[in-house]
Amino acid sequence: MDLLERSLNIAIVGSGLIGQAWAIVFARAGLDVTMWDGDADALAQAKVIVQQQLQALQAHGLVADASKALAHVSITASLDEALQTADYVQENLPERLDIKRDIYKTMDDLAKADTILASSTSGIAASAFTESLPGRHRCLVAHPVNPPYLIPVVEICGAPWTDDATIKATRDLMHAVGQKPVTVNQEIEGFVLNRLQGALLREAFRLVQQGIV
């Protein structure tokens, strides 16, 4: 599947700060985005926050037309509705393995057979929550820096069974929406970004402890 050959529908599963930020990334690029969350109040608030953030970005010259971008964003209380036309899903639920397993089983059941299912997880390997799925070949991690609409690096890491075509299509999509994808060739705890940040923090603490700073 070449995600760039046609107009794409994006589903955002989980409407917290990361979900809102991803909605801005995709809508700013002109893609239609449907946001879903199990919390109806959080979902309604997410649309308001997305609007506010787009307006702030426009004020700083980072979005050409906030209203036009916002027109690409919709919300739904039905996960089935969010997934039924989605070509790409960005999941942003809490960092709990049981939650990831449950939502991926549901998404694998509901989404079209060729829909890519990507997780924003910052530390859970895709293999931990996709192994038993019939559609595990189309599942991977696309871990952003927060917020991705300002810092565009995104780590792409598949499980051992993720198709190369899924990795490529996700990279192509990220390039198309202005992100800077980095492919992590094998699963590793914390992926790459967190490990680099951890090393930097450890050195900072060491310098403080030694009285250097």
Side-chain angles (χ1 to χ4, degrees):
M1 175 180 63
D2 188 342
L3 288 174
L4 301 183
E5 286 183 351
R6 53 195 172 89
S7 179
L8 300 177
N9 294 311
I10 307 295
I12 300 294
V13 173
S15 65
L17 292 177
I18 297 297
Q20 295 161 20
W22 273 120
I24 290 170
V25 168
F26 293 120
R28 180 174 61 182
L31 302 182
D32 289 331
V33 178
T34 302
M35 301 180 70
W36 172 87
D37 197 288
D39 184 329
D41 291 336
L43 185 61
Q45 183 65 17
K47 182 72 178 289
V48 174
I49 295 173
V50 167
Q51 180 180 13
Q52 293 171 345
Q53 293 286 52
L54 283 168
Q55 290 170 344
L57 289 169
Q58 179 177 300
H60 289 87
L62 299 173
V63 169
D65 188 332
S67 296
K68 184 176 180 180
L70 186 65
H72 286 285
V73 180
S74 62
I75 61 174
T76 179
S78 168
L79 181 58
D80 192 359
E81 181 180 339
L83 296 177
Q84 64 184 355
T85 61
D87 301 296
Y88 177 90
V89 177
Q90 189 75 39
E91 171 270 315
N92 316 278
L93 296 184
E95 294 283 88
R96 282 178 43 188
L97 184 56
D98 58 332
I99 292 176
K100 301 292 186 192
R101 284 175 173 162
D102 286 346
I103 195 64
Y104 266 78
K105 182 181 185 305
T106 300
M107 293 194 303
D108 195 43
D109 289 340
L110 295 178
K112 297 182 299 181
D114 60 350
T115 300
I116 290 176
L117 306 178
S119 177
S120 295
T121 178
S122 61
I124 304 175
S127 60
F129 53 85
T130 66
E131 183 174 9
S132 64
L133 302 180
R136 66 183 191 171
H137 61 280
R138 40 88 169 261
C139 300
L140 76 165
V141 167
H143 169 228
V145 179
N146 188 27
Y149 54 77
L150 290 180
I151 309 172
V153 175
V154 55
E155 295 181 282
I156 296 173
C157 184
W161 41 78
T162 304
D163 278 354
D164 290 343
T166 299
I167 300 289
K168 181 182 184 304
T170 303
R171 281 185 60 90
D172 289 346
L173 174 60
M174 292 301 162
H175 277 301
V177 299
Q179 298 299 101
K180 305 296 183 184
V182 176
T183 299
V184 181
N185 293 320
Q186 64 184 58
E187 292 182 323
I188 184 171
E189 184 178 357
F191 307 115
V192 174
L193 180 62
N194 288 339
R195 295 172 74 93
L196 293 175
Q197 289 178 325
L200 182 62
L201 283 172
R202 285 193 296 273
E203 179 64 8
F205 293 147
R206 187 180 70 85
L207 291 170
V208 171
Q209 289 168 352
Q210 293 179 352
I212 295 172
V213 292

